Amino acid sequence: MDNAGIEEMFQGLGPVTVKRMFGGKGIYHMGRIIAVEVRDEMLLKADEKSAPEFAAAGATQWAYEGKKGKPVKMPYWSIPDEAYDDPDLMAKWVRLAYEAALRAE
């Protein structure tokens, strides 16, 4: 996804900064990382409070295979499919990501 597309996706939250990282991109708002793009998939930050809401909406948590073959779960979740066609719904999810980033401090 190009940076203009990312900025449009997060417009309901406000301006974002996109930085290259880990072969993908990190998306920041007000200096806090709120999302990552990995393998052409946008993943939003979540925590113990917001993860159940992501799961209930059918989102999946990002995990990778660790050194011992066990999955390592990361605090990032896929965006529910219906949000891609609804700017108001997308705004809800990106705000949840920012709230999780604030709580991470």
Side-chain angles (χ1 to χ4, degrees), residues 17-89:
T17 303
V18 181
K19 297 180 183 179
R20 297 190 64 65
M21 62 184 290
F22 308 123
K25 297 177 181 179
I27 294 78
Y28 296 79
H29 177 67
M30 306 282 291
R32 294 177 174 86
I33 189 163
I34 58 169
V36 293
E37 183 189 44
V38 179
R39 296 184 192 106
D40 296 321
E41 181 178 14
M42 187 62 65
L43 303 162
L44 298 176
K45 186 170 189 69
D47 59 9
E48 290 179 4
K49 183 174 180 178
S50 59
E53 194 166 347
F54 278 88
T60 56
Q61 187 173 13
W62 177 35
Y64 66 90
E65 188 174 318
K67 291 182 181 180
K68 297 182 180 182
K70 293 185 178 182
V72 177
K73 293 183 177 184
M74 299 298 290
Y76 295 95
W77 288 72
S78 63
I79 298 171
D81 290 336
E82 64 273 7
Y84 285 100
D85 296 324
D86 184 337
D88 292 331
L89 194 52

